[in-house]
Amino acid sequence: MTHPADRLSAYLDGELGADEAAGVVAHLGGCEPCRRELADVVEARASVRGLPMLDLPADLGPDSAAVGARRRVRTWVGVAAAAAAIAVAVALGAPETVPVADLLGPHTELAQLGAAGVAP
Amino acid sequence: MSAHPRTWEDVARIHGRRIYTFAYRLTGNPDDAADLTQEVLLRVRRGLDSFTPGSFEAWLWRITHNAFVDEHRRRRRRPTVPLPDEPDRLSAASTPAPDEVLASFRLGADIQKALLALPADFREAVVMCDVVGLSYEEIAEATGVPIGTVRSRIHRGRRQLREWLA
Protein backbone atom coordinates (compact mmCIF):
# COMPACT_ATOMS: atom_id res chain seq x y z
CA MET A 1 0.00 0.00 0.00
CA THR A 2 1.30 3.46 -0.90
CA HIS A 3 2.02 5.69 2.07
CA PRO A 4 0.08 8.98 2.12
CA ALA A 5 3.27 11.12 2.52
CA ASP A 6 2.31 14.76 1.81
CA ARG A 7 -1.37 13.87 1.97
CA LEU A 8 -0.82 13.65 5.74
CA SER A 9 -0.34 17.42 5.99
CA ALA A 10 -3.24 17.98 3.58
CA TYR A 11 -5.39 15.72 5.76
CA LEU A 12 -4.33 17.64 8.86
CA ASP A 13 -5.21 20.95 7.19
CA GLY A 14 -8.61 19.76 5.98
CA GLU A 15 -7.43 20.01 2.39
CA LEU A 16 -8.49 16.52 1.25
CA GLY A 17 -11.82 15.44 -0.16
CA ALA A 18 -13.92 13.04 1.94
CA ASP A 19 -12.86 9.93 0.03
CA GLU A 20 -9.18 10.76 0.10
CA ALA A 21 -9.33 11.64 3.79
CA ALA A 22 -11.05 8.32 4.52
CA GLY A 23 -8.28 6.54 2.64
CA VAL A 24 -5.64 8.26 4.76
CA VAL A 25 -7.46 7.39 7.98
CA ALA A 26 -7.73 3.75 6.91
CA HIS A 27 -4.02 3.67 6.12
CA LEU A 28 -3.09 5.24 9.45
CA GLY A 29 -4.91 2.46 11.29
CA GLY A 30 -2.38 -0.08 10.05
CA CYS A 31 0.82 1.94 9.60
CA GLU A 32 2.85 2.98 12.62
CA PRO A 33 5.49 4.95 10.64
CA CYS A 34 2.77 7.09 9.07
CA ARG A 35 1.20 7.71 12.49
CA ARG A 36 4.59 8.92 13.71
CA GLU A 37 4.99 11.09 10.62
CA LEU A 38 1.55 12.60 11.22
CA ALA A 39 2.48 13.28 14.86
CA ASP A 40 5.64 15.03 13.63
CA VAL A 41 3.80 17.37 11.28
CA VAL A 42 1.18 18.05 13.98
CA GLU A 43 4.02 19.19 16.28
CA ALA A 44 5.71 21.31 13.61
CA ARG A 45 2.44 22.95 12.63
CA ALA A 46 1.65 23.76 16.26
CA SER A 47 5.12 25.28 16.75
CA VAL A 48 4.78 27.64 13.80
CA ARG A 49 1.16 28.50 14.59
CA GLY A 50 2.23 29.29 18.15
CA LEU A 51 4.55 32.09 17.02
CA PRO A 52 3.11 35.50 17.94
CA MET A 53 1.65 37.89 15.41
CA LEU A 54 3.74 41.06 15.27
CA ASP A 55 2.48 44.61 15.16
CA LEU A 56 3.17 46.71 12.10
CA PRO A 57 5.93 49.18 13.10
CA ALA A 58 4.50 52.66 13.66
CA ASP A 59 6.54 54.22 10.87
CA LEU A 60 5.02 51.80 8.35
CA GLY A 61 1.41 52.25 9.41
CA PRO A 62 -1.06 54.75 8.03
CA ASP A 63 -2.22 56.26 11.31
CA SER A 64 0.92 57.43 13.02
CA ALA A 65 2.31 60.96 12.98
CA ALA A 66 5.65 59.23 12.44
CA VAL A 67 4.60 57.85 9.05
CA GLY A 68 7.53 57.99 6.69
CA ALA A 69 9.97 59.11 9.38
CA ARG A 70 12.03 55.97 9.03
CA ARG A 71 12.12 56.39 5.27
CA ARG A 72 13.02 60.06 5.44
CA VAL A 73 16.01 59.30 7.63
CA ARG A 74 17.11 56.69 5.14
CA THR A 75 16.49 59.09 2.28
CA TRP A 76 18.76 61.72 3.79
CA VAL A 77 21.42 59.08 4.23
CA GLY A 78 20.84 58.22 0.57
CA VAL A 79 21.04 61.87 -0.48
CA ALA A 80 24.32 62.27 1.39
CA ALA A 81 25.68 59.13 -0.25
CA ALA A 82 24.53 60.35 -3.66
CA ALA A 83 26.14 63.75 -3.13
CA ALA A 84 29.38 62.03 -2.18
CA ALA A 85 29.14 59.78 -5.24
CA ILE A 86 28.56 62.73 -7.54
CA ALA A 87 31.48 64.58 -5.97
CA VAL A 88 33.70 61.58 -6.61
CA ALA A 89 32.37 61.21 -10.17
CA VAL A 90 33.03 64.87 -10.90
CA ALA A 91 36.49 64.64 -9.34
CA LEU A 92 37.26 61.66 -11.58
CA GLY A 93 36.07 63.57 -14.62
CA ALA A 94 33.06 61.36 -15.23
CA PRO A 95 30.36 62.56 -17.64
CA GLU A 96 27.72 64.75 -16.04
CA THR A 97 24.95 62.34 -16.99
CA VAL A 98 25.16 60.53 -13.67
CA PRO A 99 21.72 59.01 -13.06
CA VAL A 100 20.96 60.73 -9.80
CA ALA A 101 17.76 58.73 -9.33
CA ASP A 102 19.83 55.53 -9.43
CA LEU A 103 22.25 56.91 -6.91
CA LEU A 104 19.42 57.92 -4.62
CA GLY A 105 18.03 54.43 -4.79
CA PRO A 106 14.46 53.33 -4.11
CA HIS A 107 14.07 55.07 -0.78
CA THR A 108 13.16 58.42 -2.31
CA GLU A 109 9.95 57.00 -3.67
CA LEU A 110 9.34 55.18 -0.44
CA ALA A 111 9.65 58.46 1.44
CA GLN A 112 7.03 59.94 -0.86
CA LEU A 113 4.79 57.01 -0.04
CA GLY A 114 5.26 57.81 3.63
CA ALA A 115 4.63 61.51 3.03
CA ALA A 116 1.45 60.69 1.12
CA GLY A 117 0.26 58.83 4.18
CA VAL A 118 0.39 62.02 6.24
CA ALA A 119 -1.86 63.89 3.84
CA PRO A 120 -5.57 63.78 4.70
CA MET B 1 -15.87 38.14 -4.69
CA SER B 2 -14.65 40.01 -1.64
CA ALA B 3 -14.80 43.78 -1.16
CA HIS B 4 -11.37 45.28 -1.40
CA PRO B 5 -9.76 48.25 0.35
CA ARG B 6 -9.69 51.45 -1.67
CA THR B 7 -6.40 52.92 -0.47
CA TRP B 8 -3.01 51.57 0.58
CA GLU B 9 -3.69 53.03 4.02
CA ASP B 10 -6.72 50.74 4.27
CA VAL B 11 -4.55 47.80 3.21
CA ALA B 12 -1.97 48.70 5.87
CA ARG B 13 -4.68 49.06 8.48
CA ILE B 14 -6.50 45.81 7.63
CA HIS B 15 -3.66 43.56 6.46
CA GLY B 16 -0.54 45.28 7.83
CA ARG B 17 0.03 42.96 10.77
CA ARG B 18 -0.25 39.85 8.63
CA ILE B 19 2.02 41.28 5.92
CA TYR B 20 4.64 42.39 8.47
CA THR B 21 4.49 39.11 10.41
CA PHE B 22 4.83 37.18 7.12
CA ALA B 23 7.82 39.37 6.20
CA TYR B 24 9.43 38.92 9.63
CA ARG B 25 9.04 35.12 9.60
CA LEU B 26 10.58 34.96 6.13
CA THR B 27 13.48 37.36 6.69
CA GLY B 28 14.13 36.88 10.42
CA ASN B 29 14.95 40.49 11.31
CA PRO B 30 12.99 43.73 11.78
CA ASP B 31 14.85 45.85 9.22
CA ASP B 32 14.44 43.43 6.31
CA ALA B 33 10.86 42.75 7.38
CA ALA B 34 10.11 46.49 7.38
CA ASP B 35 11.74 46.93 3.96
CA LEU B 36 9.77 44.03 2.50
CA THR B 37 6.52 45.30 4.05
CA GLN B 38 7.12 48.80 2.71
CA GLU B 39 7.84 47.36 -0.73
CA VAL B 40 4.56 45.42 -0.63
CA LEU B 41 2.60 48.53 0.40
CA LEU B 42 4.31 50.53 -2.36
CA ARG B 43 3.32 47.92 -4.96
CA VAL B 44 -0.21 47.86 -3.54
CA ARG B 45 -0.38 51.64 -3.88
CA ARG B 46 0.79 51.47 -7.48
CA GLY B 47 -1.52 48.61 -8.40
CA LEU B 48 -4.69 49.38 -6.48
CA ASP B 49 -6.23 51.54 -9.21
CA SER B 50 -5.85 48.80 -11.80
CA PHE B 51 -7.13 46.06 -9.51
CA THR B 52 -9.99 44.27 -11.25
CA PRO B 53 -12.81 42.60 -9.35
CA GLY B 54 -11.76 39.20 -8.06
CA SER B 55 -10.12 37.87 -4.95
CA PHE B 56 -8.36 40.75 -3.22
CA GLU B 57 -6.56 38.30 -0.92
CA ALA B 58 -5.14 36.40 -3.89
CA TRP B 59 -4.01 39.66 -5.50
CA LEU B 60 -2.43 40.95 -2.28
CA TRP B 61 -0.52 37.75 -1.55
CA ARG B 62 0.65 37.43 -5.13
CA ILE B 63 2.13 40.91 -4.78
CA THR B 64 3.66 39.92 -1.45
CA HIS B 65 5.13 36.73 -2.95
CA ASN B 66 6.61 38.66 -5.90
CA ALA B 67 8.17 41.23 -3.57
CA PHE B 68 9.68 38.43 -1.46
CA VAL B 69 11.09 36.66 -4.51
CA ASP B 70 12.64 39.90 -5.82
CA GLU B 71 14.10 40.69 -2.42
CA HIS B 72 15.41 37.13 -2.03
CA ARG B 73 17.14 37.32 -5.44
CA ARG B 74 18.64 40.70 -4.56
CA ARG B 75 19.98 39.42 -1.26
CA ARG B 76 21.58 36.39 -2.88
CA ARG B 77 23.61 38.70 -5.08
CA ARG B 78 25.23 40.42 -2.11
CA PRO B 79 27.34 38.95 0.70
CA THR B 80 25.27 37.74 3.60
CA VAL B 81 25.96 38.63 7.19
CA PRO B 82 24.91 36.48 10.13
CA LEU B 83 21.51 37.41 11.49
CA PRO B 84 21.48 38.75 15.04
CA ASP B 85 19.55 36.80 17.64
CA GLU B 86 16.72 39.17 18.29
CA PRO B 87 13.70 38.30 20.35
CA ASP B 88 10.38 38.74 18.62
CA ARG B 89 8.65 42.00 19.27
CA LEU B 90 5.48 40.67 20.82
CA SER B 91 2.19 42.22 19.93
CA ALA B 92 1.23 44.92 22.42
CA ALA B 93 -2.17 43.28 22.65
CA SER B 94 -0.82 40.23 24.52
CA THR B 95 0.39 40.53 28.10
CA PRO B 96 1.48 37.09 29.36
CA ALA B 97 3.49 36.61 32.58
CA PRO B 98 7.23 37.48 32.44
CA ASP B 99 8.40 33.87 32.76
CA GLU B 100 6.09 32.89 29.92
CA VAL B 101 7.47 35.74 27.86
CA LEU B 102 11.07 34.57 28.42
CA ALA B 103 10.16 30.98 27.60
CA SER B 104 8.33 32.03 24.45
CA PHE B 105 11.31 34.15 23.34
CA ARG B 106 13.62 31.12 23.62
CA LEU B 107 11.18 28.77 21.95
CA GLY B 108 10.17 31.34 19.37
CA ALA B 109 13.79 32.10 18.53
CA ASP B 110 14.48 28.40 17.91
CA ILE B 111 11.46 28.07 15.65
CA GLN B 112 12.41 31.27 13.81
CA LYS B 113 15.95 29.98 13.27
CA ALA B 114 14.61 26.68 11.96
CA LEU B 115 12.28 28.52 9.58
CA LEU B 116 15.20 30.53 8.22
CA ALA B 117 17.17 27.34 7.61
CA LEU B 118 14.43 25.95 5.33
CA PRO B 119 14.69 26.42 1.57
CA ALA B 120 12.92 29.70 0.75
CA ASP B 121 10.04 28.11 -1.15
CA PHE B 122 9.32 25.64 1.68
CA ARG B 123 9.55 28.46 4.23
CA GLU B 124 7.16 30.64 2.26
CA ALA B 125 4.60 27.84 1.85
CA VAL B 126 4.70 26.94 5.56
CA VAL B 127 4.42 30.58 6.66
CA MET B 128 1.59 31.34 4.23
CA CYS B 129 -0.27 28.30 5.57
CA ASP B 130 0.44 28.41 9.30
CA VAL B 131 1.08 32.11 9.96
CA VAL B 132 -0.99 33.93 7.36
CA GLY B 133 -3.74 31.30 7.29
CA LEU B 134 -4.12 30.90 3.52
CA SER B 135 -5.65 27.78 1.98
CA TYR B 136 -3.55 25.55 -0.30
CA GLU B 137 -5.45 26.93 -3.28
CA GLU B 138 -4.71 30.52 -2.26
CA ILE B 139 -1.03 29.68 -1.75
CA ALA B 140 -0.90 28.03 -5.19
CA GLU B 141 -2.44 31.14 -6.73
CA ALA B 142 -0.13 33.51 -4.87
CA THR B 143 3.05 31.61 -5.66
CA GLY B 144 2.12 30.44 -9.17
CA VAL B 145 2.74 26.72 -8.63
CA PRO B 146 0.38 23.71 -8.80
CA ILE B 147 -1.52 22.83 -5.64
CA GLY B 148 0.35 19.50 -5.46
CA THR B 149 3.61 21.43 -5.19
CA VAL B 150 2.16 23.53 -2.36
CA ARG B 151 1.13 20.35 -0.54
CA SER B 152 4.57 18.85 -0.96
CA ARG B 153 6.39 22.01 0.19
CA ILE B 154 4.25 22.35 3.30
CA HIS B 155 4.65 18.72 4.28
CA ARG B 156 8.39 18.55 3.62
CA GLY B 157 8.90 21.88 5.34
CA ARG B 158 7.08 20.70 8.44
CA ARG B 159 8.97 17.41 8.55
CA GLN B 160 12.27 19.24 8.32
CA LEU B 161 11.25 21.70 11.05
CA ARG B 162 10.24 18.84 13.31
CA GLU B 163 13.57 17.11 12.76
CA TRP B 164 15.48 20.25 13.73
CA LEU B 165 13.29 21.20 16.68
CA ALA B 166 12.89 17.72 18.21
Side-chain angles (χ1 to χ4, degrees), chain A residues 20-80:
Chain A
E20 221 175 351
V24 169
V25 171
H27 179 89
L28 284 168
C31 184
E32 169 64 21
C34 282
R35 287 201 295 273
R36 278 202 304 271
E37 188 172 332
L38 177 61
D40 283 348
V41 293
V42 166
E43 286 283 336
R45 185 174 87 144
S47 295
V48 177
R49 290 189 171 197
L51 290 170
M53 291 297 285
L54 307 171
D55 285 337
L56 190 65
D59 61 346
L60 290 174
D63 298 323
S64 166
V67 165
R70 175 174 178 275
R71 296 295 141 180
R72 283 190 209 101
V73 169
R74 287 193 166 205
T75 299
W76 282 112
V77 172
V79 168

Side-chain angles (χ1 to χ4, degrees), chain A residues 5-7 9 13 15 37 44-45 49 52-55 60 63 70-71 74 109-110 113 116, chain B residues 9 13 17 20-21 24-25 34-35 38 45-46 89-92 130 136 151-152 155 158-159:
Chain A
D6 60 17
R7 274 179 292 147
S9 275
D13 292 327
E15 292 275 355
E37 188 172 332
R45 185 174 87 144
R49 290 189 171 197
M53 291 297 285
L54 307 171
D55 285 337
L60 290 174
D63 298 323
R70 175 174 178 275
R71 296 295 141 180
R74 287 193 166 205
E109 194 171 5
L110 292 169
L113 170 58
Chain B
E9 290 95 334
R13 208 170 282 123
R17 283 185 88 216
Y20 179 74
T21 304
Y24 190 101
R25 297 301 168 214
D35 282 349
Q38 185 93 27
R45 186 190 183 215
R46 283 186 192 137
R89 199 159 44 81
L90 281 168
S91 165
D130 290 329
Y136 286 17
R151 194 161 86 172
S152 167
H155 187 68
R158 284 175 178 165
R159 288 192 68 187

